[in-house]
Amino acid sequence: MAEMKVRDLDLWYGDFQGLKNINMDIIENQIIAFIGPSGSGKSTFLKTLNRMNDLVENARVEGTIELDGVDIYAPNTDVNVLRKKVGMVFQNPNPFPKSIYDNIAFGPRTHGITDKNELDEIVENSLKGAAIWDEVKDHLDRSALSISGGQQQRVCIARALAVEPEILLMDEPTSALDPISTAKIEELVTTLKEDYTIAMVTHNMQQASRISDRTAFFLSGELIETDDTTKIFTNPEHEDTENYISGRFG
C-alpha cells in the first residue's frame, strides 16, 4: 500500500494561513500533478506530505494526513522513518558534493547498511531505476557535481529511490532543465509509477497533461478541484480552473 488521505488540512505560518481546508486522496501507483499560479499553495502542500514544513519556523498544521491509515502528524511519528517512506526530489538538482556512488549510498548508510556488496547492489539498482546507470556506471567515483544538470536530477531521483520509498514527491523537478533532459525525466516518471505513487508540483501545464493521471488545481491556498487529468483539462467544473488552464491568469 502507498496511499495518502488528506482531511481538513489547514496550515499557518504564524498568523498567515497558507492552506485552507484541503481534502484529497493520493492514489497508489498514480501520478498526481499539482498546478496553480505562484503562491497558490501547491509546493506548501507538497511539503506537508513528508513534514518538510516542520523545518519552517512558526509553521503549524491542523487536520490529518494518513499514510496507509496512520496519521503522519501523530505525536509519536518518527519523521526520519516518514521521510524514508515519502521521498523528495527538489526543483533544482541538489546532489551532495560527493561521488555519484556516495550520493546514492548515503541514505542506506544512514539507515544502517554497511555491507559493501549490499551497497553496490543498491547503488546499481537505484541508478538503473532512475535510468542513468548506463551513463555513469564507469565513473561512479566522479563528483556528482561534475555531470550535467539533467544527469544530476536523475542522480537525485536515484538517491531518493535508494531508501525504497513508497511515495515520491517532486517539486517542479524539470523547471531548471533543458527540453531534452525534461523529456527524459518525464519518461522516467511515467515508468516509476509502476512501483511508486508520485505527487508532482509543476508550472508546466503541458507536462501535467502529458504525464499525470490526476490533476489538482490550487488557488490562494485552497484546493479548487481534483479530478482525472483529462477531465480537468477538457471539462473542468470550476470557472477558476478553466480560466487558469486557458491562460486568462496565472
Side-chain angles (χ1 to χ4, degrees):
M1 276 283 286
E3 298 196 339
M4 300 189 94
K5 294 185 183 298
V6 182
R7 296 293 180 265
D8 306 323
L9 183 76
D10 296 303
L11 176 138
W12 284 266
Y13 296 122
D15 295 330
F16 172 74
Q17 188 166 2
L19 295 172
K20 303 164 189 170
N21 194 37
I22 308 292
N23 289 276
M24 182 190 296
D25 290 346
I26 295 173
I27 299 167
E28 187 170 29
N29 297 115
Q30 287 194 353
I31 300 167
I32 184 165
F34 302 156
I35 63 170
S38 295
S40 60
K42 55 192 186 297
S43 288
T44 298
F45 175 65
L46 189 79
K47 289 169 187 167
T48 67
L49 300 176
N50 71 345
R51 292 186 48 171
M52 289 291 287
N53 52 292
D54 286 14
L55 306 174
V56 180
E57 199 175 351
N58 295 327
R60 178 167 57 89
V61 166
E62 292 182 3
T64 61
I65 300 178
E66 290 188 356
L67 172 60
D68 301 336
V70 178
D71 182 12
I72 68 171
Y73 282 89
N76 60 347
T77 299
D78 184 329
V79 177
N80 288 326
V81 172
L82 170 66
R83 291 184 188 144
K84 183 175 183 291
K85 289 182 177 180
V86 186
M88 185 101 177
V89 177
F90 294 92
Q91 180 171 358
N92 293 302
N94 63 340
F96 303 136
K98 301 171 179 282
S99 70
I100 294 167
Y101 184 100
D102 285 340
N103 264 269
I104 311 306
F106 180 85
R109 282 174 177 147
T110 61
H111 292 288
I113 296 172
T114 56
D115 179 76
K116 176 76 165 62
N117 291 333
E118 190 175 357
L119 287 171
D120 287 350
E121 188 176 344
I122 290 169
V123 169
E124 179 173 343
N125 289 340
S126 301
L127 290 166
K128 282 179 174 173
I132 192 172
W133 170 250
D134 288 340
E135 294 168 51
V136 300
K137 64 184 179 185
D138 296 327
H139 43 87
L140 295 176
D141 56 346
R142 269 180 67 179
S143 168
L145 300 175
S146 70
I147 56 180
S148 73
Q151 289 174 318
Q152 286 184 24
Q153 191 65 302
R154 280 181 285 150
V155 164
C156 291
I157 292 170
R159 187 176 67 195
L161 299 182
V163 295
E164 300 182 339
E166 298 176 18
I167 294 175
L168 272 180
L169 309 180
M170 297 185 159
D171 193 1
E172 297 193 54
T174 62
S175 66
L177 303 180
D178 62 85
I180 292 171
S181 297
T182 295
K184 284 185 177 177
I185 299 280
E186 287 185 8
E187 187 181 345
L188 168 60
V189 170
T190 54
T191 61
L192 287 174
K193 77 171 180 180
E194 295 172 19
D195 299 304
Y196 306 93
T197 303
I198 297 170
M200 173 193 277
V201 170
T202 179
H203 263 111
N204 183 331
M205 282 185 284
Q206 289 77 22
Q207 182 174 76
S209 66
R210 277 194 299 267
I211 69 171
S212 68
D213 301 287
R214 294 174 63 76
T215 296
F217 172 60
F218 287 80
L219 185 64
S220 303
E222 296 184 53
L223 174 58
I224 304 301
E225 66 178 301
T226 313
D227 213 322
D228 289 344
T229 292
T230 305
K231 184 168 187 308
I232 289 281
F233 280 92
T234 58
N235 188 26
E237 294 195 354
H238 289 262
E239 186 178 355
D240 284 334
T241 313
E242 167 97 35
N243 288 340
Y244 181 70
I245 285 168
S246 62
R248 294 193 188 102
F249 75 92

